[in-house]
Amino acid sequence: MRAFFFDMADVIIYATGLCWLIAGIYSGVQVLSQFGEFTRGLIAGVILIVFGLLAAALHCLICFAIMDIRAFTRHAAKQLTSGRG
């Protein structure tokens, strides 16, 4: 089961990033639909949409960076234990 999740890590990261994206856009659209006629409502809605995009991108970048660090440390540990380090 653990190997299955490691193999599916890319898909899981993209799926959770998509959830962040949908949540940010949905909340921004809700603010725009409720308070869009006011300047503050318009600004708040656009900011929520932009922050939703940024949160999704940041989530994916951090997760992929962690995966790269784990792959590097695993590779380095194998090199050190094999005596080629």
Side-chain angles (χ1 to χ4, degrees):
M1 187 62 126
R2 184 176 179 187
F4 172 75
F5 284 122
F6 282 143
D7 293 339
M8 296 296 295
D10 294 341
V11 176
I12 293 170
I13 290 171
Y14 283 126
T16 54
L18 184 64
C19 289
W20 274 100
L21 182 64
I22 290 171
I25 291 174
Y26 178 77
S27 59
V29 168
Q30 288 299 316
V31 167
L32 284 174
S33 68
Q34 295 293 321
F35 306 106
E37 64 271 0
F38 304 115
T39 304
R40 280 192 272 176
L42 183 65
I43 293 170
V46 170
I47 286 176
L48 279 172
I49 291 172
V50 169
F51 282 164
L53 292 168
L54 290 176
L58 186 64
H59 169 78
C60 290
L61 287 173
I62 289 172
C63 289
F64 283 125
I66 290 170
M67 286 177 54
D68 287 342
I69 290 169
R70 289 188 63 204
F72 173 75
T73 53
R74 187 179 304 127
H75 174 72
K78 285 181 183 177
Q79 290 295 321
L80 287 174
T81 58
S82 70
R84 289 189 242 161

